[in-house]
Amino acid sequence: TTLLCKEADATASISLVGMSMDYREYTPYGELIDSEEASLGTIVGVDMGLGYLLSTRSDSYEMLEANVILLGGDTLYTGSYLENGGAYGSVTSTTQNILVDMDVAYSYSTLLSPYLELSYGIGVGYHYWRRALSASQVETYTWYSLRPAVGAKYKMSERFSVELLAEYQYGINPKMYLNSFDLEFILSSANILEVSLPIRYQYNKLIELFCTMVFQKQSLGRSNLVYAGGVGYYEPDSKAESQYLKLGVAFKF
């Protein structure tokens, strides 16, 4: 959560999170292989953040922030058996998911008027997704990322404000580990675009309530070919669209 505060040096926040998922894997020819789907709130968890005011001037300020999101829940898998192949939809099951995302970011904000401020910044992050299709087939995706971001905040009244934040995440060293064959796949790319819409209510000088809607698009590139038992395997291209709803509180101190 982006914490834009000037009254105190530090801020701690916590929010409940509900997530939706629409994840799809494709052949090199663009044919759908399998998918994972979940409605908003099926995957749930918590978002925790810390922010520290580095400096402040009459028309600008700088922040350093750290965040971690912990999520878990089930998705509906539609696809086919890994060993035997088959057409899309020949198998449906439930996948158990654990997702962790953390980052540290610097931001600079400038006040254009008493009601409007613009911000930009850069962060570094880490993403983890454990996708358990069954006890014998668990896929674990991990990567680090660079995260440039821009944003705008409009103060509608003394207590209410609304923001528009856009962040690009460039994946570094994206990998997928498959437990059933003890194989590690090197993904060719990981690119994520995220847009957030936080609405904030200043309850008093030390407490802020917020509701944030997040829209995210993710694209992972096809991996290298890895052999096991004389058979070649690869992790296909994939695309995902996810939404997050966050309801939380921030404490300034």
Side-chain angles (χ1 to χ4, degrees):
T1 307
T2 302
L3 307 171
L4 302 180
C5 62
K6 297 178 289 301
E7 296 85 354
D9 288 338
T11 307
S13 71
I14 186 168
S15 60
L16 299 177
V17 184
M19 175 189 175
S20 70
M21 182 187 291
D22 184 359
Y23 171 85
R24 298 171 182 267
E25 294 184 340
Y26 298 91
T27 69
Y29 308 103
E31 299 170 340
L32 182 60
I33 301 174
D34 61 58
S35 62
E36 302 280 1
E37 295 180 277
S39 57
L40 187 64
T42 305
I43 301 173
V44 297
V46 63
D47 181 353
M48 297 171 288
L50 288 173
Y52 184 75
L53 187 64
L54 296 174
S55 67
T56 181
R57 291 170 287 278
S58 61
D59 60 350
S60 64
Y61 59 96
E62 298 171 277
M63 291 284 296
L64 184 65
E65 302 165 84
N67 255 77
V68 59
I69 301 175
L70 307 172
L71 299 169
D74 295 341
T75 51
L76 174 63
Y77 170 83
T78 305
S80 60
Y81 288 114
L82 180 63
E83 294 88 352
N84 301 325
Y88 172 77
S90 60
V91 175
T92 58
S93 62
T94 299
T95 299
Q96 297 177 332
N97 302 273
I98 297 175
L99 297 103
V100 180
D101 191 87
M102 58 184 70
D103 72 280
V104 176
Y106 162 86
S107 64
Y108 176 87
S109 298
T110 181
L111 309 179
L112 300 182
S113 75
Y115 308 101
L116 180 64
E117 61 183 57
L118 300 180
S119 64
Y120 60 88
I122 185 72
V124 292
Y126 173 77
H127 186 80
Y128 170 96
W129 176 28
R130 184 181 187 272
R131 180 190 181 199
L133 293 98
S134 66
S136 60
Q137 185 179 347
V138 179
E139 300 179 352
T140 304
Y141 301 78
T142 60
W143 61 79
Y144 298 91
S145 57
L146 290 176
R147 305 184 178 189
V150 295
K153 177 180 178 181
Y154 180 72
K155 193 172 182 180
M156 297 180 290
S157 68
E158 192 65 29
R159 293 184 180 268
F160 280 98
S161 65
V162 62
E163 296 177 53
L164 176 63
L165 306 170
E167 179 181 84
Y168 168 66
Q169 301 177 15
Y170 173 75
I172 299 171
N173 194 27
K175 299 183 292 186
M176 191 276 279
Y177 173 75
L178 177 62
N179 75 325
S180 54
F181 296 103
D182 192 24
L183 300 177
E184 184 175 83
F185 300 85
I186 306 302
L187 305 177
S188 59
S189 63
N191 294 284
I192 299 93
L193 179 63
E194 186 173 286
V195 176
S196 303
L197 295 169
I199 298 175
R200 304 182 183 278
Y201 173 72
Q202 193 71 45
Y203 181 74
N204 58 37
K205 290 185 177 181
L206 299 179
I207 299 176
E208 180 182 76
L209 307 176
F210 60 88
C211 173
T212 304
M213 195 69 196
V214 181
F215 303 90
Q216 186 184 87
K217 283 192 173 184
Q218 172 185 287
S219 177
L220 303 181
R222 179 182 175 182
S223 76
N224 59 324
L225 193 63
V226 180
Y227 288 90
V231 179
Y233 297 92
Y234 71 93
E235 175 66 8
D237 294 318
S238 68
K239 297 184 183 299
E241 293 187 4
S242 302
Q243 291 83 43
Y244 303 79
L245 178 61
K246 304 179 183 182
L247 300 174
V249 58
F251 305 93
K252 303 175 183 179
F253 57 94

